[in-house]
Amino acid sequence: MADNHGYDEDSTTTVIRRPSVNRADDTPRKKSNARTDAEVPEKKLKYPKVVFFIISNEFCERFTYYGMRTVLSLFLKNALRMEESDATITYHVWTMLCYFFPVVGAIIADSWLGKFKTIAILSMVYALGNIVVSLAAVTTWGLPSMELTYLGLMLIAIGTGGIKPCVASFGGEQFTVPQQAKQLAGFFSVFYFSINAGSLISTWLTPELRTVTCLGMDTCYPLAFGVPAVLMIVAIVIFIAGSSGYKITKPKGNVMVEVSKCMGSALVNKIKSKEKKEHWLDYADAKYGETLRRDIRAVLRVLILFVPMPIFWALYDQQGSKWTFQANNMNGRIGSWVFKPDQMQVVNPILIMILLPLFEYAVYPLLSKMRLLRKPLQRIATGGMLAAVAFIISALIQIQLDPNLPRDPEPNFAQVRVFSSLPCEVTLSGTGGSDAQAITTFQLPSLSHWEQLDFKTEGSSDLNLHIKGEGNCVPETSLKLTLTEKTAVAYHLYLDGDKVAHAGPYKDDFFKDAVAKTRIMYHFADSSEHVVGFKLDGKVVDKKASVTGTGVAEILDLEPADYTVIVDGVDISTARPYFDVGGFYYVLVDKSLPAVASVSVVIEPNTLSLFWQMPQYIVISVAEIMVSVTGNEFSFTQAPNSMKAVVFSAWLITDSFGNLIIILIESVKIFPRQSDEIFLFAGLMVFIMIVFIWLAVQYKPAPPPASEEEEEGEEEDAGEEKKKKKGAEGNGEKF
């Protein structure tokens, strides 16, 4: 899951960077004081129970974030009727902002408000955003849903991003180190568990809430977003409830600001100065000391290795968009129970919780004995290649899905379907569209349909349809039907007395529905009213009264099953009674004796099992462990103590840039087929990992970072340099 590249590592290092949180002032502790502290016997301090307020808050917040994120892409596509590409772009713009605002939140907390106020205020912004999105999801109220959704998502990005770098480190500051080092480690374990628990529960629950019918809608996105909104409000209440017991430190300034100023000063001076210096950062030596400049140089060596990382996140973050859309075109049915497409996202956090200890205590030790992947950069490169493999698997699945996907009406084109309830077979011919495209003569049997999906149409145009019955069973007729650009319409032919009449147009808004139900429309051969029902195992499961036969009745959502159609209390035989997940059917009924019905499949049902996605989820989860977890550990051990926050911020920014890559590729729309685009991402991942391997070979490992006391007393300790060089051989391994 996404939080594997952020929380616990930054929190631990924040406490290490500022261990003296109980000092009354900000005066740096001298080395002599550090030695005195070491001679004082450790006091047994009480466990700060107030951290459980922080842990509970984190559980609720992660429930909120992952709950709404799980259903967001399908909400954009199916409720707001966005094109899949537009929904993908919107989803990743939002994700990009969520991983950009942590930098802003860290600066606000460290420079002005402090962590407590930053968390409290931005959590309120966060909750407001959830409420706004919940209201936007009520599409039956006539609200400007699109605009409200954008506003709500922006507020959520500011809120979740702003508090992201603060919560865990604020919890760590409640402990006194080194006296409570063990308790601190235990806190982060529980804290990380709360993150996984919150995301696991919400990733499973919110798709279930989405499928409930409410407020006149087939799907209840207001409930799916509303429950996380309530949990976010609960999170705020819990967090503020512990305020009287928190240790709250004053803002001490943000190291990222100092780094930016130093680098900016060096660049400006380098441009102005004619003097040649050993390193470009040395041009800032007039204002900034050697320690800061040395630490920045060390960080820059690490950051070079981050350059390829955005591509990895570009692949990883598509679990919530492209992979969910792919799952929406697959069949999650297991017997009578259907696994929701967006619930597949729960597989990743489950696998992470299983694989993390497995890799730590079994896989890595075994590989080490085999002299394989012993070094962190080797693991990162291998993980990147595995991410490419996951996308190759995904592309192969997409190739199987593409032929059965519905074709959306394209710009300058229109689609038309004609359904016949006429008593005999008829011949269709004529011209239609803006270029008077000729219709290939087509034989249309009774209770069936004809479709043409590529009429050239700019704005509106007419379809001149000529109808001739077999054996003059119906009078020869010409009809003028209206076509509209980028629209799919349907017409229904029936016999009204001795004349051929037509009903329509009915706008066909076909799509693979996220609700795992069959969608059905029905027509009758006459214009009288009827009572229609569907019977399963001898029991009527859905019945509609007063259905007018000349028009399309309501869309029915039926669970996949083998139904019998009943009209006016009489069972009607059908040629295809089974309705499956993702299918869209027209049921045409002839009530004359003997009564018959025909089922026309307009959108093919999902036939490929959803669980074919399991291999790609397993591979991407292994890749995440090898790239994200290893990358965090390596980067932070290589960064100086004073620069760990900078490295953490840079790591989050790589995720933000990864989403930007998705946005750019999706906007350009290079490939008409989705499978080709997936192959493109896989190819980019392989290429960028080759670049990463080259950078890793060039990388010169840094010595292990010194503690604060060692840094302050490095000039007094002549043997420190030897110790660092010796330690570098073990901790800073080359590729």
Side-chain angles (χ1 to χ4, degrees):
M1 50 185 286
D3 281 312
N4 286 332
H5 55 277
Y7 270 99
D8 46 336
E9 295 88 346
D10 175 60
S11 308
T12 305
T13 54
T14 301
V15 176
I16 293 173
R17 180 164 55 88
R18 293 176 183 159
S20 305
V21 295
N22 292 321
R23 294 205 306 271
D25 54 50
D26 295 339
T27 306
R29 185 166 52 186
K30 296 181 181 179
K31 177 151 179 139
S32 58
N33 289 341
R35 288 172 177 167
T36 302
D37 291 345
E39 296 168 0
V40 176
E42 291 187 4
K43 295 180 180 179
K44 188 173 183 180
L45 301 174
K46 290 184 179 180
Y47 190 92
K49 295 180 181 179
V50 72
V51 298
F52 290 107
F53 288 98
I54 299 172
I55 291 171
S56 301
N57 165 273
E58 183 65 11
F59 170 84
C60 295
E61 190 276 328
R62 289 292 89 184
F63 182 103
T64 299
Y65 176 77
Y66 280 101
M68 66 87 55
R69 172 174 160 157
T70 299
V71 300
L72 178 59
S73 57
L74 291 180
F75 166 70
L76 296 172
K77 180 184 177 184
N78 294 336
L80 298 187
R81 294 293 189 265
M82 285 187 179
E83 298 286 342
E84 186 172 308
S85 59
D86 294 334
T88 300
I89 290 171
T90 302
Y91 176 90
H92 288 289
V93 166
W94 174 73
T95 306
M96 178 183 69
L97 292 174
C98 287
Y99 283 99
F100 172 78
F101 278 109
V103 178
V104 179
I107 294 173
I108 292 173
D110 289 347
S111 301
W112 295 300
L113 296 180
K115 293 184 177 67
F116 174 77
K117 288 183 180 179
T118 300
I119 295 169
I121 293 173
L122 292 184
S123 291
M124 295 177 188
V125 174
Y126 192 166
L128 178 61
N130 279 280
I131 293 170
V132 171
V133 172
S134 300
L135 291 174
V138 189
T139 54
T140 55
W141 285 2
L143 299 172
S145 294
M146 192 75 73
E147 293 79 4
L148 286 175
T149 298
Y150 289 146
L151 173 61
L153 291 178
M154 175 59 74
L155 293 173
I156 291 170
I158 294 171
T160 187
I163 69 175
K164 191 177 183 70
C166 301
V167 180
S169 56
F170 182 67
E173 289 178 353
Q174 307 310 307
F175 295 84
T176 302
V177 290
Q179 293 95 324
Q180 292 182 305
K182 289 184 178 180
Q183 292 94 323
L184 178 63
F187 161 75
F188 284 121
S189 296
V190 177
F191 186 87
Y192 186 71
F193 180 83
S194 72
I195 292 173
N196 284 275
S199 65
L200 272 173
I201 296 171
S202 63
T203 303
W204 177 263
L205 180 61
T206 49
E208 293 290 337
L209 298 176
R210 169 182 60 75
T211 58
V212 177
T213 56
C214 69
L215 303 172
M217 298 181 294
D218 295 333
T219 53
C220 198
Y221 284 103
L223 182 63
F225 291 133
V227 170
V230 171
L231 262 290
M232 192 60 224
I233 295 172
V234 171
I236 296 171
V237 172
I238 291 173
F239 181 73
I240 294 178
S243 60
S244 61
Y246 294 141
K247 295 178 184 177
I248 300 177
T249 58
K250 294 181 180 180
K252 300 179 181 180
N254 190 277
V255 68
M256 290 183 291
V257 175
E258 288 300 307
V259 170
S260 300
K261 288 181 178 179
C262 179
M263 294 175 66
S265 176
L267 289 172
V268 171
N269 292 338
K270 178 176 172 58
I271 294 172
K272 293 180 178 179
S273 177
K274 296 181 180 180
E275 183 183 358
K276 190 173 182 180
K277 297 191 176 184
E278 184 178 353
H279 193 277
W280 65 273
L281 280 171
D282 293 336
Y283 288 93
D285 57 1
K287 292 180 63 177
Y288 299 94
E290 171 59 25
T291 300
L292 177 62
R293 289 184 283 113
R294 179 199 62 199
D295 288 351
I296 294 175
R297 287 194 292 268
V299 166
L300 291 177
R301 288 197 299 269
V302 176
L303 295 188
I304 290 174
L305 296 174
F306 284 7
V307 173
M309 288 301 103
I311 293 293
F312 173 79
W313 298 122
L315 273 64
Y316 178 86
D317 284 339
Q318 289 187 60
Q319 293 178 72
S321 57
K322 289 296 187 181
W323 283 17
T324 299
F325 291 140
Q326 185 182 73
N328 197 46
N329 297 322
M330 303 174 76
N331 195 325
R333 180 165 44 84
I334 305 176
S336 60
W337 180 71
V338 178
F339 197 84
K340 312 299 186 298
D342 35 359
Q343 283 179 327
M344 277 301 289
Q345 295 179 61
V346 80
V347 172
N348 176 252
I350 290 175
L351 286 173
I352 291 299
M353 296 183 73
I354 294 172
L355 293 175
L356 266 175
L358 182 65
F359 267 71
E360 185 68 25
Y361 299 108
V363 176
Y364 284 150
L366 179 61
L367 290 174
S368 182
K369 289 181 179 178
M370 299 169 63
R371 304 183 67 83
L372 296 172
L373 303 183
R374 294 187 300 167
K375 301 175 183 179
L377 297 182
Q378 293 174 341
R379 295 174 184 176
I380 293 172
T382 304
M385 292 297 185
L386 287 175
V389 171
F391 262 61
I392 291 172
I393 297 172
S394 178
L396 294 176
I397 290 175
Q398 192 64 40
I399 289 173
Q400 303 302 313
L401 295 175
D402 283 342
N404 290 331
L405 296 183
R407 284 178 54 187
D408 294 326
E410 299 177 359
N412 301 321
F413 286 90
Q415 298 181 0
V416 64
R417 292 175 176 85
V418 176
F419 295 83
S420 174
S421 290
L422 298 172
C424 62
E425 183 177 284
V426 297
T427 301
L428 298 183
S429 60
T431 59
S434 57
D435 60 352
Q437 175 182 334
I439 299 173
T440 302
T441 302
F442 184 81
Q443 300 300 121
L444 180 62
S446 178
L447 302 183
S448 63
H449 83 283
W450 161 84
E451 64 183 24
Q452 187 82 16
L453 307 181
D454 55 357
F455 276 114
K456 182 73 174 177
T457 303
E458 296 178 2
S460 295
S461 59
D462 294 327
L463 167 60
N464 299 302
L465 192 64
H466 186 72
I467 303 166
K468 183 177 181 180
E470 183 73 20
N472 297 319
C473 66
V474 295
E476 192 168 337
T477 308
S478 293
L479 298 175
K480 183 178 288 187
L481 311 179
T482 302
L483 303 178
T484 304
E485 179 185 0
K486 215 179 174 186
T487 303
V489 293
Y491 289 89
H492 177 215
L493 305 179
Y494 64 97
L495 195 62
D496 185 10
D498 59 351
K499 295 181 179 180
V500 175
H502 73 279
Y506 307 109
K507 186 177 179 181
D508 285 337
D509 193 4
F510 297 129
F511 57 93
K512 290 288 188 178
D513 199 345
V515 179
K517 296 180 179 180
T518 300
R519 298 173 66 79
I520 301 172
M521 292 182 176
Y522 37 86
H523 297 273
F524 286 85
D526 60 6
S527 58
S528 58
E529 293 187 347
H530 302 277
V531 176
V532 181
F534 292 86
K535 188 162 61 176
L536 180 63
D537 297 330
K539 182 180 179 181
V540 177
V541 295
D542 200 321
K543 184 170 69 173
K544 300 294 180 183
S546 300
V547 175
T548 302
T550 55
V552 177
E554 298 179 39
I555 297 176
L556 302 180
D557 289 324
L558 298 177
E559 297 291 348
D562 191 350
Y563 292 96
T564 299
V565 181
I566 54 175
V567 180
D568 298 333
V570 178
D571 292 1
I572 305 297
S573 61
T574 60
R576 181 173 177 169
Y578 193 87
F579 304 126
D580 207 348
V581 173
F584 206 134
Y585 308 85
Y586 271 92
V587 179
L588 291 93
V589 182
D590 185 352
K591 191 64 169 55
S592 60
L593 295 176
V596 294
S598 175
V599 178
S600 293
V601 183
V602 180
I603 301 297
E604 289 291 335
N606 302 345
T607 55
L608 192 64
S609 173
L610 176 62
F611 301 101
W612 279 108
Q613 278 196 328
M614 282 297 294
Q616 67 198 53
Y617 270 98
I618 293 172
V619 175
I620 200 72
S621 298
V622 173
E624 179 186 358
I625 290 173
M626 302 186 82
V627 173
S628 181
V629 178
T630 305
N632 267 292
E633 180 182 350
F634 173 79
S635 301
F636 283 95
T637 56
Q638 291 291 288
N641 287 325
S642 62
M643 296 290 158
K644 294 186 187 296
V646 176
V647 173
F648 171 63
S649 299
W651 187 261
L652 292 178
I653 289 294
T654 63
D655 198 320
S656 185
F657 279 120
N659 283 273
L660 179 60
I661 291 170
I662 300 172
I663 295 165
L664 294 175
I665 291 178
E666 193 65 33
S667 300
V668 175
K669 296 181 180 178
I670 304 172
F671 302 109
R673 294 192 307 173
Q674 187 62 46
S675 54
D676 293 335
E677 185 176 296
I678 299 173
F679 276 125
L680 171 65
F681 278 104
L684 286 175
M685 189 75 252
V686 172
F687 170 76
I688 210 68
M689 279 299 104
I690 294 173
V691 174
F692 176 83
I693 291 171
W694 181 80
L695 290 172
V697 171
Q698 308 299 316
Y699 177 72
K700 295 180 180 180
S707 65
E708 266 193 359
E709 291 80 5
E710 289 172 331
E711 287 178 345
E712 292 168 0
E714 61 182 358
E715 293 181 359
E716 302 175 17
D717 194 342
E720 188 65 29
E721 189 64 27
K722 293 181 180 180
K723 179 181 177 182
K724 289 181 180 180
K725 289 181 179 179
K726 183 178 180 181
E729 296 175 1
N731 293 325
E733 295 178 291
K734 293 192 71 172
F735 185 83

